[in-house]
Amino acid sequence: MLFRDSAAMVAAECLSGALFFRLTEQFVHVHGHRPGPSEVRSWERSIPVLASALNDAGLGQVEMLLEYGLPLNSKRADAVLAGKHPETGLPSYVVVELKQWSNAEPDDDDPSLCRIDSYARAVLNPVDQVRGYCEYLVSFNGALAEHPERVNGAAYLHNATEFGVRGLFETEQDQYGQLFIGAQRGEFIKFLRTKLGPDSGASAADELINGKIGPSKQLMTVAAQEVRDREQFVLLDEQQIAYRTVLNAVHRAKQSDHKEVVIVTGGPGTGKSVIALSLLGELYRRGTTALHATGSSSFTTTMRKVAGARKREVKDLFKYFNSFMTAERNSLDVLICDEAHRIRETSANRYTPASNRTGKAQIEELIDVARVPVFLLDEHQVVRPGEMGTVAEIEAAAAKKGLRCRVVPLASQFRCGGSDAYLRWVVRLLELEPGGPVVWEPDDKMQLMVVDSPQELEAFLDDRRSQGYSARMSAGYCWKWTKKVAPGQALPADVVIGGWERPWNVFGDRSVGGAPPAALWATDPAGFGQVGCVYTAQGFEYDWSGVIIGPDLVWRGDRWVIDRSASKDPVFKKSTPDSDVDRLIRNTYKVLLTRGMIGTVVYSTDAETRQKLRSLTDTASDVTALASDRMLPL
């Protein structure tokens, strides 16, 4: 949230011009950069209109929470109005999405999407946008979870006339999504009066702000219901656009013997796998032939185990990228390629029969097998030599076949508590973007600490687990890994740091001594106590993440030094260029440092590196305070 005050005070601040300076100042503090000119213009043109409507309605004491951040992700509602219900006197809230549009029309394929002249792509109908925000708040804010009737949603297109946006009214309206235009200002004021009373909304605002943050809906634990029964995730904004873009492409493919490619691209935690599962669940319920594929053994194995726990046929929905070498062209309606950045040059390996070695590129195989191949990827999560899934390569393969390719970018992220500031800190720390490391400024979304020993790291995480949170330890691949363990023997303690010794996670698909197989390390509670690596952590998330930075990445003087000789990762061959090793090791630690949903605890085996990390972090506070009392145990 960038600003909070009563509607009367917001109107006064708008009149003086001070509000927009304060919003800009707070935006810089929260996000680390200045807002774009278009965002500032939207504040200047829309906030005064909303404040004026509230004051004209006699609701000057209603609290306006401007640019209200949704919990556990980086999306912001334009305004949340907090007050007391005029009839019950109980807390009442209205989420408002403000648009300056004067003209907009529904998309030809889907009234939940719309077209406006200033955007090249379809955007979400603002009614569906604000409805998503309301549903998300009910799902994640304790003040509303038990009282969903207390929140309402409205999209206010204050510049629009009925002639300019008539088609937008075709979308369904309900408690969480009402549409008002400038020509209906009187109706909008009447609507506000039915939801909010004239008394002070300060206590209601306090209750919302202090509402306990509910646990994230862990991807793996709800996958069964997601695929079999109903949607468990609320898709917001560009996630909803990506979801509908795919469904509309499927509809076109069925109606006109049509084929096209869809690419969804976004960074860590932008919801790519959530979109993939939502699509798979919807297509499965419709009886559409669809499969999920990935290059990750851990992800595919986990999906098969969790989603197919009670329906064996569900397991068959989850495949690997190299499963389609001999598949017939267009034998599927949809193929959902999750983590497509892990696509390789070909599907063949040393075990592939000679009869299947076609020499065909893996990207081509994946495009050919379905009428609508969907690729979800993050080009900056490549951690192995030979991984090559990029937007450009997929577009080129589609163009070669004369196929239309739609690209949907995802911006908002849900990992790391939705903290854009933390993700920026990680990227700058590892110098994956220019500018060098910066000091971490604690925010109210993600927590970070540096410890002096692996014992301290493990003890802290174990304490969080005792409170009901999930937690895992992971490390750079800097210790040998015993791959074969004789039956009846315990996992050997390969990761040795001084007097602290712990095993790597199990290598392989069977449990050892109570430790889960590799694919389930990140999701099975018994995975705590083993140290995970990037290959078992990538694609997963847990509440608290402990990361051990090994001797392959050390700080010397004023820069990072990569020591490839310290890496025990067998994927690095003598022929792997130093520049590739440097990039992949930095990407490895980026993946490990972005697994936590609530907090990250970091330890480096190198004293100078620990000193550098401490200089960049605020560790003065008592570490026990890092588990916020606003968080609910999982």
Side-chain angles (χ1 to χ4, degrees):
M1 178 174 58
L2 297 188
F3 188 79
R4 169 193 169 179
D5 213 328
S6 68
M9 289 304 299
V10 168
E13 295 257 350
C14 288
L15 191 61
S16 70
L19 176 65
F20 311 113
F21 172 78
R22 294 174 67 175
L23 285 170
T24 299
E25 190 177 53
Q26 185 65 9
F27 186 99
V28 172
H29 175 72
V30 171
H31 299 286
H33 61 90
R34 294 184 65 82
S38 62
E39 183 142 32
V40 175
R41 281 195 303 271
S42 72
W43 294 339
E44 293 173 341
R45 295 173 182 177
S46 294
I47 293 174
V49 172
L50 179 59
S52 173
L54 284 164
N55 283 286
D56 287 352
L59 303 175
Q61 296 309 304
V62 164
E63 293 276 307
M64 298 180 66
L65 313 181
L66 301 178
E67 297 292 332
Y68 181 86
L70 301 183
L72 296 180
N73 79 69
S74 60
K75 295 303 297 183
R76 291 174 281 134
D78 288 339
V80 176
L81 311 179
K84 293 183 178 180
H85 195 278
E87 296 180 5
T88 66
L90 295 172
S92 184
Y93 307 95
V94 178
V95 182
V96 182
E97 179 63 25
L98 297 164
K99 299 293 187 189
Q100 301 174 63
W101 305 348
S102 55
N103 291 281
E105 58 185 25
D107 185 75
D108 291 338
D109 294 323
D110 188 342
S112 289
L113 302 179
C114 56
R115 299 275 179 181
I116 60 175
D117 291 340
S118 55
Y119 292 99
R121 297 187 181 93
V123 297
L124 197 61
N125 187 307
V127 174
D128 292 279
Q129 184 178 0
V130 75
R131 180 184 293 119
Y133 293 167
C134 291
E135 292 173 347
Y136 192 87
L137 278 172
V138 168
S139 295
F140 287 95
N141 188 297
L144 297 173
E146 300 299 323
H147 305 286
E149 75 283 353
R150 293 183 180 178
V151 64
N152 290 268
Y156 188 30
L157 282 59
H158 52 86
N159 288 337
T161 64
E162 185 176 355
F163 176 79
V165 297
R166 182 185 298 122
L168 299 190
F169 285 92
E170 293 177 16
T171 195
E172 180 183 356
Q173 298 188 47
D174 56 20
Q175 171 190 345
Y176 293 159
Q178 294 283 315
L179 177 61
F180 298 93
I181 59 177
Q184 297 175 320
R185 186 174 186 272
E187 290 296 313
F188 182 55
I189 288 175
K190 182 179 178 181
F191 165 80
L192 294 174
R193 285 175 175 158
T194 64
K195 308 302 178 187
L196 302 164
D199 296 336
S200 171
S203 61
D206 290 345
E207 187 172 331
L208 183 70
I209 292 169
N210 295 321
K212 288 186 179 295
I213 298 175
S216 62
K217 294 189 176 180
Q218 296 289 335
L219 192 61
M220 304 311 155
T221 58
V222 300
Q225 291 169 294
E226 175 61 37
V227 173
R228 285 198 304 266
D229 303 322
R230 59 187 177 86
E231 291 184 22
Q232 292 290 307
F233 297 97
V234 177
L235 301 181
L236 301 176
D237 293 1
E238 62 267 26
Q239 294 177 332
Q240 188 71 243
I241 292 170
Y243 175 80
R244 290 183 175 279
T245 297
V246 173
L247 293 181
N248 293 335
V250 173
H251 178 74
R252 285 191 295 270
K254 288 187 174 182
Q255 293 295 311
S256 58
D257 194 25
H258 176 85
K259 183 180 175 96
E260 64 184 85
V261 178
V262 179
I263 303 173
V264 180
T265 178
T270 46
K272 297 183 295 296
S273 293
V274 170
I275 294 167
L277 285 176
S278 294
L279 284 168
L280 191 63
E282 179 61 24
L283 294 167
Y284 188 45
R285 288 188 292 274
R286 293 183 180 187
T288 300
T289 58
L291 292 177
H292 179 284
T294 178
S296 167
S297 173
S298 295
F299 195 89
T300 299
T301 302
T302 301
M303 286 290 92
R304 287 174 173 175
K305 178 180 175 65
V306 178
R310 290 179 292 177
K311 259 192 173 180
R312 183 172 180 81
E313 64 266 31
V314 173
K315 293 183 179 182
D316 295 331
L317 300 174
F318 299 94
K319 305 291 186 184
Y320 295 103
F321 289 154
N322 62 0
S323 302
F324 306 99
M325 286 186 282
T326 60
E328 289 185 28
R329 186 183 299 269
N330 295 330
S331 55
L332 298 172
D333 291 322
V334 184
L335 178 64
I336 301 169
C337 300
D338 203 355
E339 292 199 308
H341 45 268
R342 304 193 70 171
I343 289 173
R344 304 186 74 84
E345 185 174 354
T346 70
S347 295
N349 57 41
R350 59 180 176 166
Y351 303 111
T352 304
S355 59
N356 291 345
R357 293 178 181 271
T358 63
K360 193 174 184 180
Q362 191 172 80
I363 288 178
E364 288 192 46
E365 291 174 355
L366 298 172
I367 290 176
D368 285 349
V369 75
R371 293 193 178 279
V372 181
V374 181
F375 298 91
L376 302 105
L377 60 91
D378 173 9
E379 295 178 327
H380 303 296
Q381 281 202 56
V382 174
V383 296
R384 283 183 173 181
E387 295 177 343
M388 56 179 295
T390 67
V391 174
E393 285 164 330
I394 296 170
E395 286 183 320
K400 183 179 176 182
K401 297 174 180 293
L403 301 177
R404 180 172 184 177
C405 191
R406 298 174 186 264
V407 180
V408 182
L410 303 175
S412 303
Q413 62 88 22
F414 291 69
R415 191 163 287 150
C416 304
S419 174
D420 288 329
Y422 177 75
L423 287 184
R424 278 199 315 276
W425 183 84
V426 169
V427 170
R428 291 284 296 272
L429 171 72
L430 298 171
E431 296 182 327
L432 294 170
E433 287 185 358
V438 294
V439 173
W440 165 246
E441 294 188 13
D443 63 7
D444 60 354
K445 293 189 173 185
M446 188 65 181
Q447 300 171 61
L448 173 67
M449 65 179 290
V450 177
V451 294
D452 291 321
S453 70
Q455 291 91 337
E456 186 180 356
L457 179 145
E458 184 176 27
F460 181 86
L461 296 177
D462 200 31
D463 181 66
R464 301 284 80 74
R465 291 177 69 242
S466 71
Q467 298 177 26
Y469 296 94
S470 59
R472 292 293 183 276
M473 299 178 291
S474 61
Y477 204 147
C478 297
W479 293 266
K480 71 177 182 69
W481 193 331
T482 302
K483 304 296 176 64
K484 295 183 179 180
V485 181
Q489 291 189 0
L491 287 173
D494 288 333
V495 182
V496 180
I497 304 173
W500 186 81
E501 301 179 358
R502 291 293 181 271
W504 284 112
N505 61 254
V506 173
F507 184 88
D509 56 3
R510 64 180 180 88
S511 61
V512 177
L520 302 180
W521 168 84
T523 55
D524 189 318
F528 189 80
Q530 307 113 50
V531 180
C533 76
V534 67
Y535 304 124
T536 43
Q538 190 173 27
F540 297 92
E541 60 190 32
Y542 19 87
D543 295 323
W544 283 92
S545 172
V547 179
I548 298 172
I549 299 177
D552 58 345
L553 180 70
V554 295
W555 185 267
R556 292 292 179 264
D558 60 352
R559 63 190 179 93
W560 289 109
V561 173
I562 303 293
D563 182 358
R564 67 180 292 165
S565 68
S567 176
K568 308 302 181 186
D569 194 335
V571 303
F572 294 148
K573 310 297 184 184
K574 289 183 179 180
S575 58
T576 307
D578 287 345
S579 58
D580 285 356
V581 173
D582 183 297
R583 175 176 58 89
L584 295 172
I585 286 177
R586 291 175 194 255
N587 281 355
T588 290
Y589 285 111
K590 179 192 174 187
V591 170
L592 297 183
L593 287 166
T594 54
R595 298 304 96 191
M597 283 291 290
I598 293 174
T600 302
V601 187
V602 185
Y603 167 75
S604 170
T605 58
D606 177 72
E608 184 176 341
T609 306
R610 287 198 302 276
Q611 183 179 359
K612 176 62 178 177
L613 291 170
R614 282 200 174 279
S615 74
L616 297 173
T617 58
D618 177 15
T619 56
S621 60
D622 181 358
V623 296
T624 60
L626 282 176
S628 168
D629 59 4
R630 291 185 59 209
M631 300 292 182
L632 287 173
L634 295 184

